[in-house]
Amino acid sequence: MCTYSKWTEKEAVAYTAHTPPGIKKDTSLPFPSSYSPDYVESSWYQWWEKEGYFSPEQHKLTHAVDRTFSLCIPPPNVTGTLHLGHALTVAVEDALVRWRRMQGCRVLWVPGCDHAGIATQSVVERRLLREQGKQRQDFTREEFLQEVWRWKNEKGEEIYHQLRRLGASLDWQRACFTMDPAFSRAVTEAFVRLCDSGLVYRSEALINWSCALQSAISDIEVDSKELSGQTMLSVPGYEHKVEFGTMVTFAYPVEDYKVAVSTTRPETMLGDVAVAVHPDDPRYQAVHGKQCRHPFTNRLMPIITDPMVDMQLGTGAVKVTPAHDHTDFLLSQRHSLPRITVIGEDGTMNSHCGQWLEGVKRFDARQRVVDALTERKLFRGKKDHSMALPICSRSGDIIEPLLKKQWFVRCGKMAKKAIQVSLTSEQIFHLNTSKSEVCNVIDWCISRQLWWGHQIPAYQVELPDSPAKQEEWVWGRSEEEARQRAAVKYGVKPEAISLTQDPDVLDTWFSSGLFPFAMLGWPQQTADLQHFYPNSILETGSDLIFFWVARMVMLGVELTDQLPFKQVLFHSLVRDKHGRKMSKSLGNVIDPLDVIHGISLERLQEKVKEGNLDPREQAVAMEAQKKDFPKGIPQCGTDALRFALCSHKMQGEDISLSISQVLSCRHFCNKMWQTLRFTLGALGDGTASVEALEELHPLSSMDRWICSRLYSTVVQCEQNFEAYELHTVTSALYSFWVHSLCDVYLVRNVHTLARQVACSVLYHCVSTSLTLLSPFMPFITEELWQRLQPFRPQTAPAAASLSLQPYPTSSQLVRPPTPTLRINISRGLSLHTRASAPCQDASTVQIWCRYLNAFFR
């Protein structure tokens, strides 16, 4: 492996010929002596795109088949630029897309971006605060949205530029953004239909609330931080660190008895409405059905029994705070308990707590409550306690469960229907979970208290004689439609109705769940929807099974009566070389363009300073960069990065990617380059074309051996592409090129390549290998294949681009005999090999004759 520490910067070679964007690159120029990504990757993508090679409308190949292959790119958030995780997605999907296109399929791969409500709004708010010293509330909603649209246009273009540099063969004419007018109409249609069918409803329930963002957030935006005991953590809005990981015990008086309860959140005891014990707990048999008195509010609270209580946790008696704890909320439903909210949306204690706590921040109130309990001789102690702390991934704030009226989706009914359709079709994936787990999933809160996003198309109705506090809601595709619905529902004239649209927006996952069919024009019955839906496949990260994939399945089945895709392919997560999750605060998030072009350590650190990290996180990130990239990141090129990413097994353990691995793939690019130089030299001036492979005779034993190895490689590519085992495909291709072609065939045949037959065999081995490698390494294979075209057999049809060539199949190749050879290399070193198995110990055959050293150093 070419390691990072031993890497020396190579001389860059630039392509300087005048080539306007979209014009084919001139490959008749002299062949540079060394491989350079800058030279190789210049001009090709603009030409591919202008010629329309990525569009299904260009389905005019001579080898075209009556088959479609469609998919969408998992739309990246417009919160910033792409990272290596996105690059893995692109590398895998583009390999599949190019392979299917070369097979003659009618291929559609749709690009897009997600508006990412909370994430984007948070980034823009931080930027406005940093650059203008203004809060969101200093703007009108319309003014703030203009600022977000400016950010989106800037970052959206950056993302699309990155995708192009990664070589993604996307149909850009169909690019889709989740806030585009057509997509927004699809979102509104989906909401209205689900409301009409009773699958979306409004109710009061406990939700995840971020006090810093002032919004409900989805489960995927909640990180669980495991604490083993007392831990001091920084919390937004607090000057000093806050203590977590401890359990406080205090007592509630019950007549002449006191019941001790344990809690990790003493500040919420102002909202306690009961004490719960297990019915079989012998310690509390005497207090069943009795009442205790709240020491600060003087409220009487029942002592209830419920088997949900864990007798081994704390004292075995628990305080019940339904408005601030999910388990307690369920208890309140089972025992008809009241729910008292004591913490407001801004994270301060409210008027229900009394004047002594009203307006105090929730974690500052914690110590005040403990002090007051101590003063009343009710405090019983504090000890370390292991716990999972819910943290908002967007703001770092501690999640506060709050009781609010929101819009919800009934997931259980939709999940059951999706499973039935899935089992009937036998096309979709099977989750590693039971049907009951999927069907019993809790309802999904889709309300978000944001300005950026799809404003909920629901309207509160005010009637002339309706009670002031009574909530009445209607929904519609427009305000006028909602007014007509309200008039019919309440039997009044439309002009007598006053409507106020819900200011909240829909959860981003609601709109992204519609992507597979909304991107094709749904709810209109467009030609694209008829031809390319359901999608052939969905390829995405394994961390999104429930948060995105399951929701797409449920919404797709409910709204289109079909599964949104026929297959699902999950890939593992990309981690850094130490196995850590990529995180901006750790300094290990890498822009794929920095790997492609190379970047200095100084520029890496400048990019950290330009980000939104606070000074402490900046220092940690910059120190990590100094340690991991003391010399910056060397230029590796797109092809090397893509090949390195696809060389990892997609299913199973996460991918720990190091720059050294990518550098090794760049070394492979150089070997390909030098092989082509050698091949062109052997072929001569190009005045004579080579013969077709099946017409070559007589073949030497070495010629037959390399042809058998080529046939075996094509078979491996066929089988493993169909099985989506891309790492096996890349391994087979690397092994053939390096070990069979270079290490054996060229070394053995160096003095016999003057023969026309041997030159033709070499041509076919190189040309076929380039075609096999094209889905993974589109730039270098196009560059090298184009230089081989003057020598192609006269019987071979001319093709403008390698990307339009038929992908090699074993049925098109003549399977040669399987020779058994004894290859004497040098000084008694020998190698026994058969074509039916990879070349054993081929990696040891590294003895090059002086003639080849000029080409393969």
Side-chain angles (χ1 to χ4, degrees):
M1 176 180 287
C2 181
T3 61
Y4 172 82
S5 60
K6 296 180 180 179
W7 174 260
T8 56
E9 195 61 43
K10 310 301 179 187
E11 180 181 358
V13 180
Y15 175 75
T16 57
H18 177 66
T19 307
I23 301 302
K24 186 176 180 180
K25 190 175 182 180
D26 185 0
T27 54
S28 66
L29 299 176
F31 197 48
S33 61
S34 61
Y35 165 73
S36 173
D38 287 337
Y39 184 95
V40 169
E41 295 169 14
S42 172
S43 301
W44 287 122
Y45 194 92
Q46 295 92 326
W47 175 59
W48 293 331
E49 188 176 343
K50 184 180 178 183
E51 291 298 316
Y53 294 155
F54 306 154
S55 169
E57 281 74 30
Q58 294 295 320
H59 191 65
K60 302 172 184 176
L61 305 176
T62 56
H63 60 286
V65 296
D66 186 19
R67 181 180 176 186
T68 61
F69 184 74
S70 59
L71 72 161
C72 65
I73 192 170
N77 296 342
V78 291
T79 49
T81 54
L82 304 183
H83 52 67
L84 286 180
H86 297 106
L88 172 64
T89 300
V90 171
V92 170
E93 292 185 10
D94 197 39
L96 297 175
V97 162
R98 288 177 179 269
W99 167 59
R100 288 298 190 192
R101 191 180 289 123
M102 294 172 78
Q103 285 188 320
C105 296
R106 191 178 186 193
V107 174
L108 175 62
W109 187 23
V110 179
C113 281
D114 195 295
H115 67 280
I118 286 179
T120 303
Q121 179 164 313
S122 299
V123 169
V124 174
E125 284 193 60
R126 288 198 296 271
R127 186 171 77 164
L128 291 173
L129 184 61
R130 185 179 68 251
E131 295 179 357
Q132 301 182 27
K134 292 183 177 181
Q135 305 275 359
R136 169 168 55 102
Q137 291 74 15
D138 296 326
F139 299 85
T140 65
R141 184 167 184 154
E142 291 70 26
E143 290 170 342
F144 179 77
L145 290 179
Q146 289 177 5
E147 295 289 338
V148 185
W149 274 107
R150 273 194 282 271
W151 170 275
K152 178 268 167 188
N153 292 332
E154 172 190 334
K155 292 301 177 183
E157 287 305 312
E158 283 186 35
I159 289 170
Y160 286 170
H161 171 68
Q162 286 178 298
L163 290 171
R164 286 181 166 95
R165 283 300 293 115
L166 284 164
S169 57
L170 293 149
D171 185 354
W172 292 104
Q173 294 182 340
R174 289 176 167 87
C176 181
F177 177 55
T178 53
M179 289 282 284
D180 286 341
F183 202 103
S184 295
R185 286 192 293 272
V187 173
T188 298
E189 180 70 24
F191 182 87
V192 171
R193 289 192 189 185
L194 293 173
C195 283
D196 288 344
S197 62
L199 292 172
V200 166
Y201 65 96
R202 185 173 175 84
S203 178
E204 185 178 58
L206 210 58
I207 58 166
N208 297 318
W209 183 265
S210 170
C211 299
L213 298 176
Q214 295 279 285
S215 175
I217 64 173
S218 64
D219 292 340
I220 196 172
E221 289 157 328
V222 178
D223 293 334
S224 182
K225 187 177 182 66
E226 296 294 332
L227 306 179
S228 58
Q230 184 188 42
T231 307
M232 305 300 292
L233 297 175
S234 298
V235 179
Y238 290 80
E239 292 184 11
H240 304 291
K241 290 187 175 182
V242 179
E243 179 187 78
F244 298 95
T246 59
M247 181 174 281
V248 169
T249 300
F250 66 92
Y252 273 124
V254 183
E255 298 176 355
D256 56 349
Y257 183 80
K258 287 186 174 63
V259 176
V261 296
S262 297
T263 178
T264 59
R265 301 203 59 195
E267 69 276 11
T268 64
M269 62 89 66
L270 277 301
D272 287 358
V273 296
V275 170
V277 297
H278 195 283
D280 299 333
D281 194 329
R283 294 170 294 180
Y284 301 109
Q285 295 295 319
V287 296
H288 287 189
K290 293 190 175 182
Q291 291 182 316
C292 55
R293 188 172 295 277
H294 199 288
F296 303 127
T297 65
N298 211 32
R299 185 168 57 243
L300 285 174
M301 303 185 300
I303 298 177
I304 62 174
T305 60
D306 197 286
M308 287 179 64
V309 177
D310 183 356
M311 290 188 285
Q312 306 304 318
L313 182 64
T315 63
V318 295
K319 57 191 282 298
V320 181
T321 321
H324 295 282
D325 184 271
H326 291 281
T327 302
D328 294 357
F329 181 78
L330 295 177
L331 282 172
S332 73
Q333 291 179 316
R334 291 164 61 154
H335 297 274
S336 301
L337 298 173
R339 301 154 189 166
I340 302 173
T341 298
V342 294
I343 299 175
E345 295 178 356
D346 61 353
T348 62
M349 311 303 286
N350 65 20
S351 58
H352 288 126
C353 304
Q355 293 184 353
W356 67 292
L357 280 182
E358 185 177 359
V360 177
K361 293 179 182 179
R362 54 184 169 155
F363 298 128
D364 290 340
R366 177 174 294 181
Q367 188 58 47
R368 293 197 187 188
V369 169
V370 170
D371 292 343
L373 288 169
T374 303
E375 183 179 335
R376 286 167 172 74
K377 296 182 171 43
L378 297 174
F379 180 69
R380 295 293 183 267
K382 181 175 71 173
K383 63 179 181 179
D384 284 4
H385 177 68
S386 59
M387 61 180 292
L389 190 67
I391 297 177
C392 174
S393 63
R394 303 299 180 187
S395 65
D397 195 15
I398 310 302
I399 293 299
E400 184 61 53
L402 280 189
L403 195 61
K404 294 184 70 67
K405 289 185 177 180
Q406 306 279 267
W407 293 95
F408 293 86
V409 175
R410 299 185 198 277
C411 291
K413 184 177 179 181
M414 292 173 64
K416 288 178 182 177
K417 182 177 179 180
I419 288 174
Q420 290 171 352
V421 173
S422 173
L423 294 175
T424 302
S425 68
E426 296 183 353
Q427 289 178 317
I428 202 67
F429 64 100
H430 295 280
L431 297 176
N432 292 324
T433 185
S434 67
K435 295 178 193 174
S436 62
E437 286 179 299
V438 177
C439 295
N440 292 331
V441 64
I442 62 172
D443 288 354
W444 168 22
C445 173
I446 56 174
S447 297
R448 298 293 178 267
Q449 291 64 43
L450 305 171
W451 286 355
W452 173 244
H454 299 101
Q455 191 170 351
I456 296 176
Y459 302 80
Q460 189 166 4
V461 181
E462 186 176 335
L463 300 172
D465 300 320
S466 63
K469 292 186 178 181
Q470 183 176 340
E471 277 197 2
E472 300 289 350
W473 291 85
V474 292
W475 45 85
R477 295 167 182 84
S478 65
E479 183 174 339
E480 182 57 32
E481 180 181 318
R483 187 178 303 279
Q484 294 299 326
R485 285 172 175 248
V488 172
K489 181 178 180 180
Y490 300 109
V492 297
K493 294 181 178 180
E495 57 268 21
I497 297 170
S498 177
L499 297 180
T500 303
Q501 187 173 0
D502 191 333
D504 293 351
V505 301
L506 290 165
D507 180 13
T508 299
W509 295 104
F510 184 86
S511 53
S512 61
L514 310 175
F515 208 86
F517 46 96
M519 72 176 187
L520 300 174
W522 184 89
Q524 304 300 318
Q525 291 302 307
T526 63
D528 277 358
L529 192 66
Q530 293 172 7
H531 291 148
F532 300 110
Y533 187 80
N535 299 170
S536 303
I537 193 171
L538 173 76
E539 194 283 331
T540 189
S542 56
D543 56 328
L544 296 179
I545 291 177
F546 286 106
F547 298 112
W548 187 41
V549 180
R551 286 168 178 170
M552 281 191 287
V553 171
M554 289 191 297
L555 290 169
V557 169
E558 185 61 39
L559 296 170
T560 71
D561 292 321
Q562 296 184 80
L563 292 165
F565 20 73
K566 299 171 184 175
Q567 291 179 305
V568 179
L569 178 63
F570 294 116
H571 64 246
S572 301
L573 302 183
V574 178
R575 297 182 179 272
D576 68 10
K577 67 179 183 180
H578 307 294
R580 299 176 304 177
K581 184 178 179 180
M582 299 275 185
S583 167
K584 290 181 180 179
S585 60
L586 292 176
N588 61 356
V589 172
I590 300 175
D591 183 339
L593 297 193
D594 292 341
V595 180
I596 292 171
H597 300 304
I599 188 172
S600 66
L601 174 62
E602 291 72 23
R603 179 61 191 133
L604 277 174
Q605 306 225 308
E606 286 175 11
K607 291 175 76 169
V608 171
K609 294 177 182 177
E610 292 167 1
N612 284 315
L613 299 180
D614 65 43
R616 288 173 298 181
E617 291 177 322
Q618 277 188 15
V620 172
M622 292 170 69
E623 186 60 34
Q625 286 179 335
K626 287 181 184 178
K627 194 173 183 180
D628 288 342
F629 309 114
K631 298 186 293 183
I633 299 175
Q635 183 186 43
C636 297
T638 301
D639 292 315
L641 176 59
R642 288 171 55 126
F643 198 76
L645 289 167
C646 289
S647 296
H648 289 269
K649 187 174 183 180
M650 286 191 295
Q651 290 82 32
E653 296 181 357
D654 290 344
I655 297 170
S656 294
L657 186 72
S658 70
I659 297 301
S660 293
Q661 294 168 340
V662 188
L663 284 173
S664 292
C665 293
R666 172 177 169 147
H667 188 65
F668 177 47
C669 291
N670 183 61
K671 181 149 291 196
M672 293 169 61
W673 187 266
Q674 301 303 344
T675 303
L676 208 286
R677 281 190 69 210
F678 179 81
T679 303
L680 293 176
L683 291 170
D685 57 9
T687 56
S689 59
V690 302
E691 296 182 53
L693 190 59
E694 59 272 14
E695 297 174 359
L696 294 177
H697 62 83
L699 292 175
S700 69
S701 58
M702 181 56 70
D703 292 334
R704 292 197 304 274
W705 178 82
I706 195 63
C707 287
S708 69
R709 296 301 310 127
L710 178 63
Y711 180 88
S712 177
T713 302
V714 170
V715 170
Q716 290 181 70
C717 291
E718 275 184 313
Q719 294 174 346
N720 290 291
F721 249 129
E722 291 289 350
Y724 302 126
E725 297 286 343
L726 300 191
H727 67 289
T728 308
V729 180
T730 56
S731 177
L733 291 170
Y734 179 88
S735 178
F736 174 78
W737 194 295
V738 174
H739 301 319
S740 299
L741 183 61
C742 294
D743 287 357
V744 176
Y745 186 71
L746 290 181
V747 170
R748 183 70 177 86
N749 265 15
V750 65
H751 299 302
T752 61
L753 283 173
R755 293 189 305 110
Q756 181 65 27
V757 170
C759 282
S760 295
V761 169
L762 176 60
Y763 167 88
H764 287 292
C765 286
V766 173
S767 179
T768 304
S769 296
L770 290 173
T771 310
L772 292 168
L773 280 161
S774 178
F776 303 102
M777 311 172 89
F779 293 103
I780 190 172
T781 53
E782 184 79 71
E783 178 81 29
L784 300 182
W785 182 84
Q786 292 284 353
R787 291 182 179 271
L788 279 179
Q789 290 316 288
F791 304 95
R792 73 177 183 274
Q794 294 180 351
T795 56
S801 169
L802 176 58
S803 62
L804 304 181
Q805 278 286 98
Y807 199 76
T809 62
S810 57
S811 62
Q812 295 169 345
L813 294 179
V814 177
R815 183 168 188 173
T818 308
T820 300
L821 302 177
R822 182 179 180 88
I823 307 171
N824 295 309
I825 304 297
S826 175
R827 296 184 183 179
L829 178 64
S830 64
L831 172 67
H832 287 276
T833 182
R834 292 184 64 87
S836 58
C839 186
Q840 299 298 310
D841 299 323
S843 60
T844 66
V845 188
Q846 300 292 336
I847 302 176
W848 299 97
C849 64
R850 184 173 301 170
Y851 182 74
L852 286 177
N853 272 337
F855 294 94
F856 297 108
R857 62 168 64 115

